Amino acid sequence: MGIKVVKFGGSSLCDAEHFKKVREIVLDDPARCYVVPSAPGKRFDGDEKVTDLLYRCYRMVELNQSHEEVFARIADRYLSIVEELGIDFDMRPILSETCDAIRRRRSVDFAASRGEYLCGIVLAKYLGWDFIDPVDVIKFDRRGAFAAEWTNEMLMRAMEDHPRAVIPGFYGSYPNGDVHTFSRGGSDVSGAIVARAAEADVYENWTDVNGFLMADPRVVDNPRTIRQLTYRELRELSYMGATVLHEEAIFPVHKAGIPTNIRNTNNPEDPGTLIVAQPTEESFATPITGIAGHKDFTLITIDKAMMNAEYGFGRRVLQALEDFDVSFEHLPTGIDTMCVIVSDRELSTRKDQIIQRIRQTCQPDSIEIQSGLALIATVGYGMVRRRGTAAKLFKALYEADVNVRMIDQGSSELNIIVGVDTADFETAMRAIYHAFVGA
Ligand code: ASP
């Protein structure tokens, strides 16, 4: 039998009702052997995530304020879950130990990690499964960099003794055993790491949406759910702003060739989105996989006659950016033109210095700066084998009266990126979506 590693996000574990759903999902398939929980999330609009409350507690202690009242709210969340589920477990001692450790300022990471730790303990009791503390198996080096191979070895060893277990997300430890966390949302990363060690057939990531959407629902009404995409397509879409998974969660499973299945805890019948390592026939069957975009870019256009005959011109342009610690997003070029697209945030205060440096080192005929650019990426393996994708896309933009200011098609043919005025961003996104997906 294959193994499934299942990660549940905070919204899937926000209260006792959700714990029941989680238990049903886990027990419904005997292949689900390792469960990676987040900390309880928001139950309603305006509610607070347990992790946020824990950070707040720690901050209050640092400011010499009493954290007891905020901690009591955290304790209540766990106590009511345990009580409503009828679990025979007195949580009070462990809660008061945690409250004390925070008061003694053990560390901010320790405080934050307790959301997942306590949630994992309760879930393990509720399932009647073993509990593996990530402190023992998820390792970071002394500088806080994740130690992938060490962790893999430790996890594999622990899994031999625990064929079914709950392993909380979000944290692990330094070589000396002190707690260290991933960045926010890091339980996704923990789940992927556990999936790799378990040599899982699939990494199921349970959340509160049916999967990855073809476009941002704040821009396009009711976009379709993507049924299948590759990790590379996901990377292209996430880079452009689409989010469901923590970025770093892709690497361990992608490398190991393990698919990730995004599923909805509140709608377990839905197959969700499957993210696969290699494109399959299905990847080529649809013209596009998804559309994503970002506003707030600046286009720096540098012109110089006979640019192509000059050695090191491009290097000097990029050196000017590097000298001021600015990275670039795209680099479309013409015969005597080089364009550099940089995010406004990167450029901000360093704009004038960079332009001056390019003038000095490249002696261009002209430099033009245009801000207010939005980038839209249309992504999909489908366009590799299909004629007319670009034609359809540009026709849609023309018909929507959108002026295209920049075009960049990756040589992998996995995407077409267009730059449009920020004011046209929403119109352009909708036009592209409707051209490929229909009304
Ligand atoms: N609880 C942590 C956070 O809120 C980690 C996670 O949920 O993935 O960021």
Side-chain angles (χ1 to χ4, degrees), residues 234-253:
L234 176 70
R235 163 85 183 117
E236 304 267 348
L237 290 167
S238 329
Y239 164 76
M240 275 299 195
T243 49
V244 166
L245 264 186
H246 192 296
E247 266 218 329
E248 288 162 41
I250 297 169
F251 297 113
V253 272

Side-chain angles (χ1 to χ4, degrees), residues 51 54-55 58 98 101-102 105-118 131-145 168-183 190:
T51 309
L54 285 162
Y55 277 117
Y58 195 79
T98 309
I102 296 176
R105 292 199 204 180
R106 182 133 158 210
S107 76
V108 64
D109 281 10
F110 173 83
S113 72
R114 294 306 88 183
E116 272 71 10
Y117 172 77
L118 296 168
F131 174 82
I132 299 177
D133 190 339
V135 156
D136 302 323
V137 287
I138 301 222
K139 302 302 289 183
F140 296 88
D141 70 16
R142 262 181 305 162
R143 298 156 94 193
F170 190 39
Y171 73 97
S173 68
Y174 289 109
N176 69 1
D178 283 353
V179 168
H180 185 53
T181 61
F182 290 103
S183 57
S190 309

Side-chain angles (χ1 to χ4, degrees), residues 7 10 38-39 49 51-52 116 170 183-188:
K7 179 257 168 178
S38 286
K49 289 171 140 196
T51 309
D52 290 331
E116 272 71 10
F170 190 39
S183 57
R184 293 300 304 266
S187 299
D188 279 345

